Amino acid sequence: MATVEWRSPASEMAVKQLEVAAERLNLDSNVAVRLRRPDRSLIVSVPTRMDDGRVHVFTGYRVQHNDVLGPFKGGIRYHPDVNLGEVSALAMWMTWKCSLVGLPLGGAKGGVACDPMQLSRAELQAMTRRYTAEILNFIGPEVDVPAPDMGTNEQVMAWVMDTYSQHKGHAVPEIVTGKPLDIGGTLGRREATGRGLTYIIIEAAGHLGMDLSRATAAVQGFGNVGSVAAKELADLGVKVIGVSDQSGGFYDEAGLPVHRMLEYAAKNRDLSGCPYGHPVSNEDLLTLKCDILVPAALGMQITGRNAGKLRCRVLAEGANGPTTLDADEILREKEIFVIPDVLANAGGVIVSYFEWVQDLQNFFWTEAEVNKRLRDILSRAFQEVLKVSLKEKVDMRLAALMIGVSRVARAMLWRGLYA
Ligand code: NAD
């Protein structure tokens, strides 16, 4: 992504991470040069009839980074800041994530630049269906399988599935994951990312000798990932002292009533006006003294500006790309144990993979089977990353990227260059 088309702060960060891993791995330069940029990128116009009768044209994207290991896989994001560079970075991280945890899938990402909170249900549905129609020939169950990401949910996935199926003339549940159970979704997908994050935190606590029943946590973002992570951590006995969403944050040294806050957020769409704890800004939430800090909202939240003020022992990255390169350096000096996004939030794509497998086989698993397989994969991945980190004397992010990148590179070398 060195070329101008994909350039953005996020894509520059993703490419730099790749370069550091490539150098450390002594990667074949012909492979490295190819991995810097995505296989394909699509920009589409998404004309949408708004409730007032006007047509608004949104901009949508689908970027496919690398499919050497299998079909492309990656979420669809609805957020005002979505742009080609950000989507490209997210697609690249998906490649490393799938490879790291051993899934036979490649990396992709999509999105529409919009504010879903400002759209009515009818507008959201119309925009989603037209976006799906615009990328229809670019995706497919054996080609590229979308999933939810920030700003999208199981309802949006149901509309994607229905639009694709209407065009094909029959139901194609395996076109998308994160669907409702009633139309071929899997048990455990909604909770998968936050639950997986908790499994990984359990592994980290084991390594660090941290007693989770006496630990404290703060979580930024109270959506799919953040709210489930907060709930799972609280269920483990961790005292959740801070949570936030885009409306602001709440803090209580004695521990917040996470279950009641979940009910409040479900009823009110977000946490604004929540009667629990004391208000805290998103900026201050990140610097609370706690054992475990979980950024689970936007990218680039921990930067050179605030990294020095972090007071956590473990940083578990629920969000994609929450930590900038300069912040990483500061965290290393401060000896904060960083569990990188490609490992910490991989639970989502793992259970998405399970959903795709179940749809292809028309045979569905129990939630206990889903969770057990998820935990097995994540525990193994954590231990592999830890082993490389200790052996190579590198941090967990570089260790995870080295594993992810080297598997993709090996597959590319076996398959050779088609010319
Ligand atoms: P979501 O839309 O369900 O929730 C996002 C949350 O972030 C909301 O609570 C929102 O209010 C909050 N938020 C937005 N801006 C904020 C700000 N400035 N400060 C604090 N909070 C803010 O999204 P999600 O699916 O939970 O995704 C969150 C992150 O996790 C994203 O980075 C996404 O890429 C990543 N992720 C998601 C999945 C998944 O399965 N959904 C999987 C892997 C990674």
Side-chain angles (χ1 to χ4, degrees):
M1 278 178 251
T3 52
V4 72
E5 286 83 353
W6 294 279
R7 192 167 292 156
S8 79
S11 65
E12 289 192 351
M13 180 170 143
V15 169
K16 185 76 195 153
Q17 288 175 347
L18 166 65
E19 282 171 352
V20 174
E23 197 185 319
R24 185 81 199 202
L25 287 164
N26 210 1
L27 200 69
D28 184 324
S29 62
N30 290 323
V31 171
V33 74
R34 181 71 191 88
L35 288 172
R36 291 164 65 95
R37 40 198 291 170
D39 282 3
R40 298 187 202 109
S41 313
L42 181 67
I43 305 180
V44 295
S45 295
V46 187
T48 303
R49 177 86 56 197
M50 307 302 275
D51 291 347
D52 61 7
R54 193 169 55 85
V55 173
H56 185 82
V57 184
F58 294 94
T59 306
Y61 307 88
R62 187 75 189 167
V63 174
Q64 300 171 340
H65 175 253
N66 184 288
D67 68 344
V68 74
L69 293 174
F72 295 106
K73 188 89 191 75
I76 296 173
R77 176 174 289 198
Y78 288 174
H79 191 273
D81 295 342
V82 163
N83 59 56
L84 184 62
E86 184 191 65
V87 177
S88 306
L90 290 162
M92 184 189 279
W93 287 325
M94 282 303 293
T95 302
W96 314 144
K97 194 181 300 182
C98 293
S99 163
L100 169 66
V101 297
L103 304 181
L105 297 169
K109 206 79 177 192
V112 178
C114 67
D115 184 352
M117 297 290 266
Q118 300 302 320
L119 298 176
S120 70
R121 184 181 161 88
E123 290 167 343
L124 197 63
Q125 176 167 185
M127 188 192 78
T128 298
R129 288 188 181 278
R130 184 59 188 253
Y131 168 67
T132 308
E134 293 295 340
I135 65 166
L136 201 102
N137 293 319
F138 211 57
I139 59 174
E142 292 163 347
V143 183
D144 182 356
V145 182
D149 188 71
M150 204 148 97
T152 58
N153 55 21
E154 61 179 9
Q155 176 60 80
V156 172
M157 295 305 113
W159 291 327
V160 172
M161 180 267 188
D162 184 68
T163 306
Y164 189 89
S165 299
Q166 296 298 343
H167 279 258
K168 296 294 164 188
H170 57 91
V172 190
E174 63 273 24
I175 180 58
V176 75
T177 58
K179 300 178 295 292
L181 267 183
D182 295 320
I183 54 171
T186 181
L187 291 162
R189 173 61 185 91
R190 209 186 65 75
E191 300 81 4
T193 312
R195 187 171 282 157
L197 190 82
T198 310
Y199 291 156
I200 288 282
I201 289 172
I202 295 171
E203 295 289 329
H207 165 63
L208 298 170
M210 180 191 284
D211 177 358
L212 285 177
S213 67
R214 298 162 67 117
T216 55
V219 182
Q220 183 194 50
F222 208 61
N224 176 277
V225 180
S227 71
V228 176
K231 177 190 159 296
E232 296 279 320
L233 288 171
D235 288 349
L236 274 178
V238 174
K239 198 194 282 177
V240 179
I241 58 166
V243 302
S244 70
D245 67 9
Q246 62 190 4
S247 69
F250 298 87
Y251 164 69
D252 189 342
E253 214 177 60
L256 291 163
V258 173
H259 284 263
R260 268 180 272 159
M261 294 179 92
L262 283 166
E263 281 166 25
Y264 184 92
K267 240 187 250 157
N268 299 279
R269 275 186 98 179
D270 61 28
L271 287 170
S272 55
C274 169
Y276 308 109
H278 319 286
V280 63
S281 71
N282 257 301
E283 187 67 22
D284 290 344
L285 180 116
L286 296 173
T287 57
L288 288 177
K289 183 164 171 33
C290 61
D291 294 302
I292 305 155
L293 178 65
V294 181
L298 303 168
M300 300 197 173
Q301 293 297 294
I302 299 158
T303 64
R305 216 167 35 80
N306 64 1
K309 298 189 211 152
L310 258 57
R311 292 186 290 159
C312 59
R313 198 165 156 209
V314 174
L315 177 69
E317 296 183 338
N320 284 306
T323 309
T324 59
L325 298 163
D326 49 346
D328 251 339
E329 234 174 274
I330 298 169
L331 300 181
R332 260 195 306 275
E333 278 162 27
K334 286 173 70 88
E335 295 186 6
I336 291 177
F337 188 77
V338 177
I339 315 177
D341 47 8
V342 289
L343 175 62
N345 69 33
V349 72
I350 294 170
V351 178
S352 270
Y353 165 66
F354 294 164
E355 180 174 335
W356 181 65
V357 166
Q358 292 171 75
D359 286 338
L360 289 171
Q361 299 184 339
N362 283 302
F363 182 73
F364 290 85
W365 311 346
T366 65
E367 188 162 4
E369 279 174 293
V370 168
N371 291 342
K372 183 184 176 313
R373 289 184 160 127
L374 171 64
R375 191 163 187 165
D376 286 350
I377 291 178
L378 282 174
S379 303
R380 193 183 62 219
F382 179 90
Q383 295 304 333
E384 274 178 21
V385 174
L386 183 64
K387 200 167 144 194
V388 171
S389 156
L390 295 173
K391 182 163 171 258
E392 301 290 329
K393 298 192 174 42
V394 297
D395 63 22
M396 290 287 280
R397 186 183 318 283
L398 183 51
L401 290 174
M402 284 167 69
I403 298 172
V405 171
S406 60
R407 283 187 186 143
V408 169
R410 277 202 306 276
M412 284 172 76
L413 289 170
W414 274 114
R415 288 180 57 167
L417 184 65
Y418 179 74

